[in-house]
Amino acid sequence: KDQQSLVETEQPQLTFDDVGGLEEVKQNIRMNFVLPLQQPEMFEAFGKQAGGSLLLYGPPGCGKTFLARAVAGEINANFIHLELQAILSMYIGESEHNLHDLFEKAREEKPCVLFIDELDALGGSRHQMRQHHERMLVNQLLLELDGLESFNDQVFVIGATNTPWYLDTALRRPGRFNQLSFVSPPGAEERATILQLKTAGKPQQDLDIRKIAGATSHFSGADLNQLVDEATQLALHRSLKAGSIQPITNEDLTQSLKNRKPTTLEWFQTAK
Ligand code: ATP
């Protein structure tokens, strides 16, 4: 079948503990996605079902995809990752058909997190044919999202975009995505947590995580990840040369920091 070449199902091992910060978003997800599965009687008594949708937005590299994977890990669900561009590159008709099949697939593999990335691809175009194509796909997506509620089928749709201002307005209306959450760049405290997570288990010597967290304002989680990767690389090279394990040092981190710039500032400057 077509969609099988388009996306694969995974069973992520990540959990919320692997995601640094974003406490509010996690709490929101716990309340809407996790607890309804764990305590269905409680939620049913109040007319609430397990399932639904959530829209994540914010600067690149701050953990939208990572968090969506962790949601699946957290509830032992399957995970399907769809990049909308891939589906938009198909013919009109074929796109909608494939989107429908994906939702079917998610239902078959429930509980399932269906992650739809690059949602802004639906709404930015000025090209007429393309606009028509996007509109058709938006309509199909709205149909599928509407269907979620009546099915009560433990399918969780998480949409993501870096540019919510380009998103088709029909998708932003209430009742389309039940929940909306901003995935913000990490603050100093959260950066420390992320640095801790990324260095954990690696040979290291008295790392001053607080100091690095303080010196990395406006860094995204992805920026911090790269920073640690580069420092790791330095220690690894040293180790290979020495023929014995040489730990990651503060110097390695400061050295890597020299080559890095924060990437989230630009987002706030271009945000509309
Ligand atoms: P994009 O919009 O560019 O797709 P994104 O918001 O989906 O970005 P991710 O792909 O989730 O960002 O993040 C990239 C990498 O950065 C992750 O694989 C992870 O290693 C790291 N990362 C980002 N945010 C966090 C976080 N809060 N905690 C731990 N790691 C993070």
Side-chain angles (χ1 to χ4, degrees), residues 14-26:
L14 286 178
T15 70
F16 279 174
D17 287 341
D18 299 302
V19 182
L22 299 176
E23 288 309 326
E24 238 175 81
V25 190
K26 285 184 197 165

Side-chain angles (χ1 to χ4, degrees), residues 19-178:
V19 182
L22 299 176
E23 288 309 326
E24 238 175 81
V25 190
K26 285 184 197 165
Q27 197 45 39
N28 194 348
I29 294 173
R30 261 188 213 107
M31 191 62 192
N32 289 290
F33 286 13
V34 182
L35 288 174
L37 277 178
Q38 292 170 345
Q39 301 185 47
E41 320 77 34
M42 193 77 90
F43 282 79
E44 270 158 28
F46 289 91
K48 296 229 175 245
Q49 306 166 334
S53 57
L54 165 73
L55 178 63
L56 301 175
Y57 69 98
C62 289
K64 295 184 289 300
T65 311
F66 203 62
L67 182 65
R69 278 215 168 79
V71 173
E74 197 68 21
I75 58 179
N76 282 316
N78 288 308
F79 182 79
I80 299 178
H81 185 167
L82 168 69
E83 285 168 8
L84 260 186
Q85 288 292 3
I87 239 179
L88 262 172
S89 65
M90 298 171 175
Y91 292 110
I92 292 185
E94 201 188 352
S95 298
E96 295 88 272
H97 186 80
N98 270 283
L99 188 67
H100 177 73
D101 280 355
L102 263 186
F103 272 79
E104 280 280 285
K105 183 175 159 128
R107 278 191 278 273
E108 277 162 23
E109 308 198 347
K110 70 181 187 180
C112 186
V113 172
L114 175 53
F115 180 61
I116 309 181
D117 209 354
E118 307 170 341
L119 264 182
D120 41 276
L122 298 175
S125 180
R126 278 188 225 140
H127 191 270
Q128 232 180 358
M129 258 317 269
R130 172 84 182 203
Q131 263 176 2
H132 174 61
H133 193 171
E134 288 173 5
R135 174 123 326 267
M136 303 277 286
L137 203 53
V138 167
N139 288 339
Q140 186 67 40
L141 181 57
L142 292 176
L143 211 67
E144 302 295 344
L145 289 174
D146 281 345
L148 276 185
E149 286 195 26
S150 48
F151 279 112
N152 176 26
D153 45 13
Q154 304 185 0
V155 171
F156 305 88
V157 178
I158 302 182
T161 175
N162 295 331
T163 52
W165 49 88
Y166 287 138
L167 203 62
D168 190 288
T169 46
L171 287 173
R172 280 188 291 180
R173 251 173 253 142
R176 265 52 211 273
F177 281 95
N178 307 144

